[in-house]
Amino acid sequence: MAQATGQPHFLQHHFTDVEQQRESAKLGMWIFLITEVLLFGGLFCAYAIYRSWNPDIFHNAHVHLDIFAGTLNTVVLITSSVTMALAIRSMQLGNRPATLKFLITTLLLAAVFLVVKYFEYSHKIHLGQLPGKFYTFGGIEGTNPHIFFSVYFLMTGLHGFHVLAGMGVITWLIVRTQRNAFSAEYYTPVEMTGLYWHLVDLIWIFLFPLFYLVG
Amino acid sequence: MKNGSSHSHHILPPRVYLGVGAALLILTAITVAVSFFNFGPYNLLVAMLIAAGKASLVALFFMHLKYDNKLYMTIFVASVVFLAVFIILTMFDTLRRDDIYDIGAGPIRDRAVMYDSVAVDSTITGADSIEAVSDTTINQSPGQ
């Protein structure tokens, strides 16, 4: 019992000290992140295969994506990564109001990303630029242009779900920050969410040129 | 930089984050701008090099890989290396199989049921699919 006194309340009993707890959490988070890399990696490989089989389709179809919307979303996501990094930094300094401010900004930027994506998707659904048998658009030359949209919707859709999941976790962080759960000594959940959020940004950094720019 | 008391975590000044953010936005502008020029087969290479640069900035600074225990960097880089092996070997097979065999790689089921019901260019699809179907059957017996 004597050992327990003076130990911070957030230190779980199976860790020697705070630092070990933090490093363990980070190691676990990175292992999770590489499973995410491999999850998207399979889809990037699918992209590479379909693009090499159908270079003309990918070229003819990609011009139907809105470069402005894609660039806007890239800017939005990069900015949200900056605000997320600043949220972590504020918590490292124990500045709770600033953390809240940056977390809420990150959440709003994530929402902007999804709203832009919603307009892009609904425009494509309206035109029938859809995967597989749902494809009804007539303006793209070449055989099977629906393949491009299958890959497009699968990859950006999975990425969109990751943004949505990130928004859920950031909301939870906002609530916990408000309840004074974090401090300059303990901010691991904020830091881990930040790692996840930066990975979501990192994946978009590759999706954006592959679909919108080079096709 | 590495030592210090184990409790004081590496806290970066805000200008690092803002500077990296600005660099990412500039690189985004560059990649969009160069996409309007045609470098032929190098389009993809240029876009991917810029994306790799941006990704490195995110990983090194936002994800703190530059400052953290190098174990995390090792884990992350390893995943990227294995991903590259996966994609490169798959592409060797996809693009170069017909250098060795008299068949190329192609969709396993080019003539899926959906093609019958959809008004996609059915004449070309039909022609391709006969070839692809026979390819797949040959493919099943690697001994030949």
Side-chain angles (χ1 to χ4, degrees):
Chain A
M1 285 308 281
Q3 195 188 11
T5 51
Q7 287 210 346
H9 64 92
F10 51 81
L11 179 64
Q12 302 290 322
H13 67 88
H14 48 279
F15 290 110
T16 317
D17 57 30
V18 173
E19 200 53 31
Q20 191 204 17
Q21 174 169 291
R22 206 177 81 93
E23 298 262 301
S24 305
K26 216 166 196 179
L27 179 61
M29 193 64 200
W30 271 106
I31 290 169
F32 167 66
L33 291 186
I34 68 167
T35 69
E36 292 279 48
V37 169
L38 299 180
L39 169 66
F40 277 94
L43 293 173
F44 278 109
C45 189
Y47 172 95
I49 293 171
Y50 282 114
R51 188 174 188 269
S52 71
W53 282 344
N54 315 285
D56 50 332
I57 292 167
F58 269 64
H59 184 264
N60 294 340
H62 98 279
V63 296
H64 290 269
L65 298 185
D66 185 350
I67 291 189
F68 175 73
T71 311
L72 176 64
N73 260 353
T74 309
V75 171
V76 166
L77 218 50
I78 287 172
T79 314
S80 80
S81 253
V82 175
T83 56
M84 189 73 217
L86 291 174
I88 299 167
R89 183 182 177 276
S90 305
M91 206 68 250
Q92 285 175 325
L93 295 170
N95 189 342
R96 209 159 58 90
T99 308
L100 272 176
K101 194 179 72 183
F102 284 125
L103 284 176
I104 291 168
T105 315
T106 310
L107 187 66
L108 289 176
L109 288 167
V112 170
F113 179 90
L114 286 183
V115 167
V116 172
K117 212 80 210 122
Y118 165 78
F119 281 114
E120 284 188 84
Y121 277 177
S122 52
H123 183 61
K124 282 188 179 49
I125 291 167
H126 177 70
L127 291 177
Q129 295 170 337
L130 288 168
K133 68 175 181 181
F134 302 104
Y135 184 84
T136 53
F137 187 65
I140 298 173
E141 280 186 43
T143 323
N144 302 337
H146 59 85
I147 290 173
F148 176 82
F149 293 101
S150 299
V151 182
Y152 167 80
F153 274 101
L154 195 58
M155 293 186 79
T156 58
L158 185 66
H159 179 267
F161 275 120
H162 277 78
V163 173
L164 205 59
M167 287 178 72
V169 181
I170 293 169
T171 309
W172 171 75
L173 282 184
I174 291 171
V175 172
R176 289 203 62 191
T177 310
Q178 262 173 338
R179 291 183 186 163
N180 225 345
F182 307 124
S183 62
E185 287 75 39
Y186 176 70
Y187 53 88
T188 306
V190 189
E191 198 181 13
M192 299 307 122
T193 310
L195 283 176
Y196 170 83
W197 192 250
H198 297 315
L199 188 85
V200 170
D201 183 25
L202 203 148
I203 290 166
W204 179 258
I205 283 174
F206 284 97
L207 290 181
F208 169 60
L210 284 177
F211 284 108
Y212 291 81
L213 300 181
V214 294
Chain B
M1 181 197 277
K2 206 70 210 146
N3 49 22
S5 85
S6 61
H7 295 290
S8 71
H9 305 128
H10 200 94
I11 301 175
L12 296 171
R15 66 183 151 79
V16 172
Y17 295 122
L18 295 174
V20 170
L24 289 170
L25 293 179
I26 291 167
L27 284 170
T28 304
I30 291 174
T31 193
V32 172
V34 297
S35 76
F36 292 104
F37 297 94
N38 192 4
F39 303 108
Y42 297 107
N43 280 339
L44 182 67
L45 184 70
V46 171
M48 285 301 95
L49 282 178
I50 297 174
K54 289 166 75 179
S56 308
L57 285 177
V58 171
L60 286 173
F61 294 97
F62 288 169
M63 297 170 105
H64 283 227
L65 283 183
K66 186 174 190 287
Y67 308 99
D68 272 344
N69 190 328
K70 288 293 174 277
L71 174 64
Y72 309 130
M73 171 99 87
T74 314
I75 291 174
F76 185 55
V77 171
S79 81
V80 175
V81 168
F82 278 108
L83 183 58
V85 169
F86 171 46
I87 292 179
I88 289 170
L89 288 183
T90 308
M91 294 318 285
F92 275 147
D93 177 44
T94 299
L95 298 172
R96 293 268 169 242
R97 191 187 301 173
D98 48 1
D99 291 357
I100 304 172
Y101 304 103
D102 53 354
I103 50 161
I108 297 168
R109 287 186 67 210
D110 202 27
R111 189 164 181 75
V113 177
M114 49 167 282
Y115 291 112
D116 297 331
S117 58
V118 183
V120 286
D121 198 345
S122 58
T123 47
I124 303 174
T125 315
D128 275 359
S129 65
I130 296 162
E131 222 175 70
V133 167
S134 53
D135 281 355
T136 354
T137 27
I138 296 167
N139 211 5
Q140 313 267 294
S141 51
Q144 290 195 43

